[in-house]
């Protein structure tokens, strides 16, 4: 599985915020072009067809989104600081004093220092609109030589191994799904299938709808990263747990999943001795929300890697959970394509 984790590390360290997925898309195309038929649609999605040993009884589509959360420059002050909005859902406390980059330009997200804050201000986290990005420019004119209004940046974070199994990096949501799909496309397939690498999920499921319309599958499997709320003092509200296997959803804010498919997915994991857990929270959403409503409807399930601190500069995940996600999508793909769930 080393090649899978090499892929994941490379993908996570690429910058591809919503609206600027090109570096990720270019890398994926370079990896898969010799193993499948792939094209890029008008939205910027990659739609890949993998020829298998057999024709499927049901057409199956596997999906992962290429984009990550980030920041977009909205104005530049006379002193050369960048005001910004978030691209995707990022809490203000995840931004404070973090490094970001716009291509080769590095910056630090700053706010009023504690020494100048009032006692009341020290009790509260800064609001996102009070923050700014410092790129070291002396004034507005110098800043404009490096960035522009509408420039989109990402967290400047590199992959770190915390233990032999646990790693920490940015953009695991959803480069893990992209890595698993690339790995799968490079292997011989039992059945024909489609893989879509989609844009704009962090801004509202934009690419998944058009990609699904093109493929028109019978079944879809969305590969994702989801919240692992397994931290200290949160034992009563765990969503999923790191190092406990791939998480399967029964409902979220965008989808009430096909119940027969949900049960079949858990049974497939158990039959193949794949570590699996149920995602307990019904909040959040992913590309399944757009996929399952396309055309006359698509039976859809989501398989997620549990990740601590997602939508931040440092998500913590488990290699063994990635392997479980990889193994379950292979097993489920073959079961669905083979007609074992009607």
């Amino acid at each position: 599985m080393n090649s899978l984790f090499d892929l994941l590390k490379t993908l996570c360290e690429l910058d591809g915020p919503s609206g600027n997925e090109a570096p990720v898309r270019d890398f994926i195309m370079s990896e898969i072009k010799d193993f499948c038929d792939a094209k890029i649609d008008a939205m910027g999605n990659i739609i890949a067809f993998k020829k298998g040993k057999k024709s499927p009884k049901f057409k199956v589509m596997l999906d992962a989104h290429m984009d990550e959360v980030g920041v977009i420059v909205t104005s530049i002050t006379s002193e050369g600081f960048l005001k910004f909005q978030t691209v995707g859902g990022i809490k203000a406390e995840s931004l404070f004093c973090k490094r970001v980059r716009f291509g080769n330009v590095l910056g630090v997200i700053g706010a009023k220092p504690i020494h100048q804050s009032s006692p009341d201000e020290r009790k509260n986290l800064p609001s996102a609109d009070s923050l700014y990005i410092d790129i070291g420019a002396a004034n507005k004119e110098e800043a404009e030589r490096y960035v522009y209004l509408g420039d989109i940046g990402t967290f400047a974070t590199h992959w770190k191994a915390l233990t032999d199994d646990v790693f920490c990096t940015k953009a695991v949501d959803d480069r893990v799904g992209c890595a698993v799909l690339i790995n799968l496309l490079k292997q011989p397939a039992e059945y024909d299938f489609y893989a879509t690498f989609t844009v704009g999920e962090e801004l509202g499921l934009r690419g998944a709808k058009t990609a699904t319309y093109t493929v028109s599958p019978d079944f879809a499997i969305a590969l994702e990263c989801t919240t692992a709320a397994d931290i200290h003092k949160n034992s009563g509200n765990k969503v999923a747990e790191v190092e406990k296997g791939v998480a399967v959803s029964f409902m979220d804010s965008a989808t009430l999943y096909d119940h027969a498919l949900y049960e079949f997915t858990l049974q497939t994991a158990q039959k193949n001795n794949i570590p699996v857990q149920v995602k307990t929270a019904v909040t959040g959403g992913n590309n399944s929300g757009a996929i399952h409503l396309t055309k006359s409807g698509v039976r859809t399930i989501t398989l997620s890697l549990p990740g601590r601190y997602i939508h931040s500069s440092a998500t913590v995940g488990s290699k063994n959970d990635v392997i479980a996600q990889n193994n379950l999508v292979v097993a489920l793909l073959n079961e669905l394509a083979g007609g074992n769930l009607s």
Side-chain angles (χ1 to χ4, degrees), residues 71 73 75-77 79-84 98-110 132-149 151 153-154:
V71 294
V73 178
S75 64
I76 303 174
T77 71
E79 300 90 351
F81 298 116
L82 316 180
K83 299 297 291 182
F84 66 93
K98 297 298 189 297
R99 292 185 300 165
V100 292
R101 60 177 171 244
F102 302 85
N104 294 323
V105 178
L106 289 173
V108 177
I109 298 176
Y132 56 86
I133 299 171
D134 183 352
I135 61 170
N139 50 49
K140 182 176 182 179
E141 290 71 25
E142 184 179 5
E144 288 176 334
R145 294 204 294 268
Y146 298 99
V147 297
Y148 55 88
L149 300 188
D151 209 351
T154 58

Side-chain angles (χ1 to χ4, degrees), residues 1-78:
M1 284 293 177
N2 283 339
S3 59
L4 175 58
F5 299 118
D6 291 341
L7 276 172
L8 180 56
K9 178 180 182 293
T10 299
L11 283 162
C12 288
E13 292 189 342
L14 292 172
D15 294 338
S18 304
N20 191 23
E21 295 93 346
V24 180
R25 181 169 52 244
D26 292 346
F27 174 77
I28 292 172
M29 286 295 286
S30 71
E31 288 289 312
I32 68 174
K33 60 182 175 62
D34 295 330
F35 300 94
C36 62
D37 295 325
K39 64 179 181 180
I40 300 171
D41 69 11
M43 288 287 289
N45 304 308
I46 298 173
I47 300 175
F49 172 72
K50 176 71 174 183
K51 184 66 179 172
K53 299 174 186 175
K54 295 178 280 190
S55 296
K57 293 183 179 179
F58 294 106
K59 188 190 295 185
V60 181
M61 183 185 90
L62 313 178
D63 176 77
H65 67 87
M66 295 182 286
D67 59 315
E68 65 187 285
V69 296
V71 294
I72 186 168
V73 178
T74 56
S75 64
I76 303 174
T77 71
S78 59

Side-chain angles (χ1 to χ4, degrees), residues 25 30 35 42-43 56 62 91-92 150 155 162 184 197 223 230-231 238 242 269 279 282 292 300 314 325 336:
R25 181 169 52 244
S30 71
F35 300 94
M43 288 287 289
L62 313 178
K91 297 175 70 175
F155 291 115
L162 302 183
L184 189 54
F197 301 85
L223 302 181
D230 59 350
I231 57 176
K238 292 178 181 177
V242 172
K279 178 183 174 182
V282 297
H292 85 287
T300 307
Q325 185 184 41
L336 297 176

